[in-house]
Structure formats: C-alpha cells, structure tokens
Amino acid sequence: MKRTELLVYGIIASTISAVMLVAALGDREYGYYDLLRVAICFTGAVTAFIAFQFKSYIVSTISALIAMVFNPFFKITLERGTWQTIDLISGLYFLIVALVFYLEYREMKKIEGSSE
C-alpha cells in the first residue's frame, strides 16, 4: 500500500471519528456509545500505525493510548462528565491528526507532481 493511500485512510477515519466524538457529547442511546468505542479504538489503532510508518512516534503513542481507553473488550468505567471531557479532547485530537495527515498528503502529492 502506498504511503499516500495510508494518509487518505487516516484522514477519513480521523474525520469520521472526530464527528462521532463530538456527537457523543449529546444525549445518546447506550448502543451509540458501544459503536463509538469500536470506531474510536479502530481509528486509534489505524492512526497509530500510520503515524508509526511516518516515524511520528508521539502521535503514534497518543493514538495507541486512545485506542486502549476506548477499547470495547476491557471497558473502562468512568462518570459521564469525565467521558464527555475525554470525548471532546479526543475529538479535537483526531481533527488535528486529520489536518496533519492532509498537509502531509498534499506535500507528497506536490513532490510527486514535480518529479514527473
């Protein structure tokens, strides 16, 4: 898989997850939070892998930690207010990751275009 393709997948997953996390701040049914755990755990793992491929070890570590917090198998039980804070911070984080991945993608495409 090409590095630009990895970035596109990371941009899509991070953006969708950021929207889901912000939407979780409202009052949702319990099933939504189960789906949220799966989606954020997946996105955390994907962004950790992509960041690791680009040797961005801090982003990789933070993404892996988010994946662990949201993992659907060994649930962490916290109060609603605490989860809302975590959701908001994680949503902002994934928006920033999507932006950084997009900027890297744009730079790589610019280099590919100039080398032809």
Side-chain angles (χ1 to χ4, degrees), residues 77-94:
T77 306
L78 300 170
E79 293 182 14
R80 182 172 171 81
T82 305
W83 272 117
Q84 286 181 333
T85 303
I86 292 170
D87 290 346
L88 183 60
I89 292 168
S90 298
L92 291 172
Y93 171 77
F94 281 127

Side-chain angles (χ1 to χ4, degrees), residues 27-65:
D27 193 24
R28 303 277 177 238
E29 293 182 21
Y30 190 76
Y32 180 81
Y33 297 107
D34 284 338
L35 175 64
L36 184 70
R37 281 182 178 272
V38 172
I40 304 308
C41 183
F42 173 79
T43 301
V46 166
T47 56
F49 174 77
I50 294 169
F52 190 81
Q53 294 299 311
F54 283 84
K55 297 183 182 358
S56 180
Y57 302 118
I58 293 173
V59 172
S60 184
T61 302
I62 293 170
S63 294
L65 288 172

Side-chain angles (χ1 to χ4, degrees), residues 85-106:
T85 303
I86 292 170
D87 290 346
L88 183 60
I89 292 168
S90 298
L92 291 172
Y93 171 77
F94 281 127
L95 276 178
I96 292 167
V97 167
L99 177 63
V100 170
F101 283 179
Y102 172 74
L103 294 173
E104 181 67 27
Y105 172 82
R106 196 172 73 177

